Amino acid sequence: MDYPKTRKEAKEQGATHYFTGEPCSRGHVALRKIKGICVECMKEDWQIDNEKRKQKPKSEAAKEAGRRYYERNKEMVKARAAARPKEETTKHKQKYKNSNPELYKALVSVRRRKHRKATPPWITAEQKLAIRKLYLQAQELTKLTGERYVVDHIVPLISFDICGLHVPWNLRVITQEENLKKSNKIDCTLFKKGV
Ligand SMILES: [Zn+2]
Protein backbone atom coordinates (compact mmCIF):
# COMPACT_ATOMS: atom_id res chain seq x y z
CA MET A 1 0.00 0.00 0.00
CA ASP A 2 1.21 3.48 -0.82
CA TYR A 3 1.21 5.92 2.04
CA PRO A 4 1.47 9.69 1.78
CA LYS A 5 5.09 10.79 2.30
CA THR A 6 4.45 13.73 4.57
CA ARG A 7 2.05 14.73 7.27
CA LYS A 8 0.80 17.56 5.10
CA GLU A 9 -0.03 15.20 2.22
CA ALA A 10 -1.73 12.81 4.64
CA LYS A 11 -3.89 15.60 6.00
CA GLU A 12 -4.85 16.70 2.52
CA GLN A 13 -5.80 13.16 1.51
CA GLY A 14 -7.62 12.50 4.78
CA ALA A 15 -5.30 9.53 5.47
CA THR A 16 -4.68 8.22 9.00
CA HIS A 17 -0.99 7.36 8.51
CA TYR A 18 2.00 8.54 6.52
CA PHE A 19 5.44 7.15 5.79
CA THR A 20 8.52 9.34 5.48
CA GLY A 21 11.09 6.56 5.16
CA GLU A 22 13.18 8.44 7.75
CA PRO A 23 13.96 6.97 11.19
CA CYS A 24 12.12 8.44 14.18
CA SER A 25 13.95 9.77 17.25
CA ARG A 26 14.20 6.18 18.55
CA GLY A 27 15.47 4.90 15.20
CA HIS A 28 12.32 3.15 13.87
CA VAL A 29 11.65 3.38 10.16
CA ALA A 30 7.92 2.96 10.48
CA LEU A 31 4.53 4.45 9.73
CA ARG A 32 3.55 7.58 11.61
CA LYS A 33 0.10 8.46 12.79
CA ILE A 34 -1.40 11.67 11.48
CA LYS A 35 -0.50 13.31 14.83
CA GLY A 36 3.17 12.65 14.06
CA ILE A 37 3.71 9.69 16.42
CA CYS A 38 5.67 6.71 15.11
CA VAL A 39 3.58 3.52 15.41
CA GLU A 40 6.54 1.48 16.70
CA CYS A 41 7.11 4.04 19.45
CA MET A 42 3.42 3.76 20.33
CA LYS A 43 3.71 0.00 20.59
CA GLU A 44 6.77 0.30 22.82
CA ASP A 45 5.02 2.75 25.10
CA TRP A 46 1.98 0.48 25.35
CA GLN A 47 4.16 -2.44 26.29
CA ILE A 48 5.94 -0.41 28.98
CA ASP A 49 2.60 0.77 30.37
CA ASN A 50 1.24 -2.76 30.32
CA GLU A 51 4.24 -4.14 32.20
CA LYS A 52 3.96 -1.37 34.78
CA ARG A 53 0.27 -2.11 35.23
CA LYS A 54 0.93 -5.81 35.66
CA GLN A 55 3.56 -5.14 38.36
CA LYS A 56 1.09 -3.21 40.47
CA PRO A 57 -1.18 -5.33 42.68
CA LYS A 58 -4.80 -5.04 41.60
CA SER A 59 -6.97 -2.78 43.70
CA GLU A 60 -10.15 -4.18 45.23
CA ALA A 61 -12.16 -1.99 42.85
CA ALA A 62 -10.34 -3.43 39.84
CA LYS A 63 -10.90 -6.98 41.09
CA GLU A 64 -14.57 -6.23 41.65
CA ALA A 65 -14.84 -4.76 38.14
CA GLY A 66 -13.22 -7.92 36.76
CA ARG A 67 -15.75 -10.08 38.58
CA ARG A 68 -18.65 -7.96 37.35
CA TYR A 69 -17.32 -8.17 33.78
CA TYR A 70 -17.13 -11.94 34.09
CA GLU A 71 -20.66 -12.19 35.47
CA ARG A 72 -22.04 -10.11 32.61
CA ASN A 73 -20.04 -11.84 29.86
CA LYS A 74 -19.73 -15.34 31.27
CA GLU A 75 -20.71 -17.11 28.05
CA MET A 76 -18.37 -15.06 25.89
CA VAL A 77 -15.45 -15.44 28.31
CA LYS A 78 -15.99 -19.21 28.41
CA ALA A 79 -16.35 -19.49 24.63
CA ARG A 80 -13.15 -17.51 24.15
CA ALA A 81 -11.30 -19.72 26.60
CA ALA A 82 -12.55 -22.83 24.79
CA ALA A 83 -11.47 -21.46 21.42
CA ARG A 84 -7.97 -20.55 22.65
CA PRO A 85 -5.22 -22.90 21.43
CA LYS A 86 -4.21 -25.37 24.12
CA GLU A 87 -0.52 -24.39 24.05
CA GLU A 88 -1.47 -20.82 24.87
CA THR A 89 -3.54 -21.90 27.87
CA THR A 90 -0.74 -24.17 29.07
CA LYS A 91 1.80 -21.38 28.75
CA HIS A 92 -0.46 -18.97 30.62
CA LYS A 93 -1.04 -21.48 33.42
CA GLN A 94 2.69 -22.15 33.70
CA LYS A 95 3.35 -18.43 33.97
CA TYR A 96 0.70 -18.08 36.70
CA LYS A 97 2.18 -21.03 38.52
CA ASN A 98 5.69 -19.56 38.35
CA SER A 99 4.54 -16.22 39.69
CA ASN A 100 2.53 -17.80 42.53
CA PRO A 101 4.91 -20.43 43.96
CA GLU A 102 3.54 -20.12 47.50
CA LEU A 103 -0.02 -20.78 46.37
CA TYR A 104 1.03 -23.90 44.48
CA LYS A 105 3.13 -25.18 47.36
CA ALA A 106 0.09 -24.79 49.59
CA LEU A 107 -2.17 -26.61 47.11
CA VAL A 108 0.27 -29.51 46.86
CA SER A 109 0.46 -29.84 50.63
CA VAL A 110 -3.34 -29.75 50.94
CA ARG A 111 -3.58 -32.53 48.35
CA ARG A 112 -0.90 -34.58 50.11
CA ARG A 113 -2.73 -34.25 53.41
CA LYS A 114 -6.02 -35.27 51.79
CA HIS A 115 -4.34 -38.33 50.30
CA ARG A 116 -2.68 -39.22 53.58
CA LYS A 117 -5.95 -38.93 55.49
CA ALA A 118 -7.71 -41.13 52.92
CA THR A 119 -5.00 -43.80 52.89
CA PRO A 120 -6.03 -46.69 55.17
CA PRO A 121 -3.34 -47.88 57.60
CA TRP A 122 -3.67 -51.47 56.38
CA ILE A 123 -2.48 -50.65 52.84
CA THR A 124 0.49 -52.79 51.76
CA ALA A 125 3.80 -51.61 50.32
CA GLU A 126 2.83 -53.30 47.06
CA GLN A 127 -0.40 -51.33 46.90
CA LYS A 128 1.49 -48.11 47.63
CA LEU A 129 3.74 -48.91 44.70
CA ALA A 130 0.69 -49.54 42.51
CA ILE A 131 -0.52 -46.03 43.36
CA ARG A 132 2.87 -44.53 42.54
CA LYS A 133 2.77 -46.34 39.19
CA LEU A 134 -0.58 -44.77 38.31
CA TYR A 135 0.88 -41.30 38.87
CA LEU A 136 3.88 -42.16 36.72
CA GLN A 137 1.54 -43.48 34.04
CA ALA A 138 -0.39 -40.21 34.03
CA GLN A 139 2.88 -38.26 33.71
CA GLU A 140 4.02 -40.52 30.91
CA LEU A 141 0.75 -40.19 28.98
CA THR A 142 0.86 -36.41 29.37
CA LYS A 143 4.35 -36.37 27.88
CA LEU A 144 3.43 -38.74 25.06
CA THR A 145 0.15 -37.17 23.98
CA GLY A 146 0.59 -33.53 24.96
CA GLU A 147 -2.81 -33.75 26.63
CA ARG A 148 -2.83 -33.53 30.40
CA TYR A 149 -3.58 -36.81 32.17
CA VAL A 150 -4.37 -37.00 35.86
CA VAL A 151 -5.09 -39.67 38.45
CA ASP A 152 -8.74 -39.62 39.38
CA HIS A 153 -10.38 -40.98 42.52
CA ILE A 154 -13.36 -42.91 41.18
CA VAL A 155 -15.20 -42.30 44.42
CA PRO A 156 -14.12 -38.77 45.40
CA LEU A 157 -12.08 -38.45 48.58
CA ILE A 158 -14.67 -36.09 49.94
CA SER A 159 -18.24 -36.55 48.83
CA PHE A 160 -21.59 -36.04 50.51
CA ASP A 161 -22.39 -39.52 51.70
CA ILE A 162 -19.33 -41.64 51.10
CA CYS A 163 -15.65 -41.00 51.54
CA GLY A 164 -13.43 -42.45 48.84
CA LEU A 165 -10.12 -44.03 49.72
CA HIS A 166 -6.66 -43.37 48.34
CA VAL A 167 -6.19 -47.01 47.32
CA PRO A 168 -5.29 -48.50 43.91
CA TRP A 169 -8.78 -49.84 43.18
CA ASN A 170 -10.26 -46.37 43.65
CA LEU A 171 -7.79 -44.80 41.24
CA ARG A 172 -7.69 -44.52 37.47
CA VAL A 173 -5.77 -42.48 34.93
CA ILE A 174 -7.95 -40.16 32.84
CA THR A 175 -7.50 -36.90 30.98
CA GLN A 176 -7.76 -33.70 32.94
CA GLU A 177 -10.62 -32.71 30.66
CA GLU A 178 -12.69 -35.75 31.68
CA ASN A 179 -11.76 -35.10 35.28
CA LEU A 180 -12.99 -31.53 35.17
CA LYS A 181 -16.26 -32.62 33.59
CA LYS A 182 -16.71 -35.02 36.48
CA SER A 183 -16.05 -32.42 39.19
CA ASN A 184 -18.47 -30.04 37.51
CA LYS A 185 -21.20 -32.55 38.13
CA ILE A 186 -20.70 -32.50 41.87
CA ASP A 187 -23.07 -30.00 43.42
CA CYS A 188 -20.90 -28.04 45.82
CA THR A 189 -23.86 -26.28 47.41
CA LEU A 190 -24.52 -29.53 49.23
CA PHE A 191 -21.19 -29.21 51.03
CA LYS A 192 -22.00 -25.75 52.22
CA LYS A 193 -25.32 -26.87 53.66
CA GLY A 194 -23.44 -29.53 55.53
CA VAL A 195 -25.57 -32.35 54.08
ZN1 LIG B 1 9.65 5.17 16.74
Side-chain angles (χ1 to χ4, degrees):
M1 191 173 163
D2 271 341
Y3 287 98
K5 299 227 166 9
T6 63
R7 197 171 163 189
K8 194 166 163 262
E9 270 178 51
K11 266 188 184 166
E12 280 163 10
Q13 296 172 22
T16 55
H17 294 77
Y18 63 99
F19 184 70
T20 63
E22 295 291 318
C24 74
S25 59
R26 293 187 200 169
H28 306 121
V29 181
L31 285 177
R32 307 227 178 143
K33 293 274 269 186
I34 192 77
K35 280 182 183 166
I37 311 162
C38 149
V39 292
E40 287 302 320
C41 284
M42 267 171 70
K43 261 192 225 162
E44 277 183 10
D45 290 347
W46 277 336
Q47 270 160 6
I48 292 166
D49 279 355
N50 254 333
E51 284 308 314
K52 269 192 204 154
R53 203 154 37 80
K54 275 191 215 156
Q55 301 297 326
K56 267 196 240 161
K58 269 191 186 171
S59 68
E60 273 311 309
K63 280 184 198 164
E64 184 52 38
R67 279 192 284 267
R68 274 204 308 272
Y69 178 85
Y70 175 73
E71 280 307 318
R72 259 179 301 150
N73 302 285
K74 228 181 220 172
E75 292 313 311
M76 190 188 64
V77 173
K78 280 184 187 166
R80 261 199 215 151
R84 206 167 289 142
K86 233 176 209 162
E87 310 83 70
E88 212 173 289
T89 313
T90 315
K91 238 168 73 188
H92 188 82
K93 274 188 191 158
Q94 197 58 48
K95 210 174 148 196
Y96 184 78
K97 199 172 167 179
N98 291 343
S99 50
N100 296 281
E102 292 307 314
L103 170 70
Y104 277 80
K105 251 192 247 166
L107 287 175
V108 167
S109 89
V110 164
R111 190 162 57 215
R112 283 222 183 102
R113 199 165 62 225
K114 256 163 88 179
H115 286 178
R116 207 164 41 231
K117 273 173 81 179
T119 310
W122 38 259
I123 197 166
T124 67
E126 214 176 21
Q127 286 163 342
K128 273 188 185 165
L129 188 68
I131 293 175
R132 179 90 198 104
K133 275 186 182 159
L134 285 170
Y135 282 90
L136 289 175
Q137 197 190 337
Q139 267 177 24
E140 205 58 32
L141 279 168
T142 303
K143 247 189 247 164
L144 278 173
T145 62
E147 183 167 12
R148 194 162 155 70
Y149 277 81
V150 293
V151 178
D152 169 53
H153 293 89
I154 298 161
V155 176
L157 294 186
I158 304 163
S159 68
F160 346 108
D161 41 9
I162 28 171
C163 182
L165 293 177
H166 191 57
V167 288
W169 55 93
N170 189 35
L171 294 170
R172 60 177 176 164
V173 174
I174 59 171
T175 63
Q176 187 171 44
E177 208 175 343
E178 283 173 88
N179 196 32
L180 290 175
K181 269 184 215 149
K182 184 184 154 187
S183 50
N184 285 345
K185 269 187 249 157
I186 299 174
D187 184 359
C188 290
T189 54
L190 287 171
F191 290 112
K192 286 176 195 146
K193 285 178 197 150
V195 177

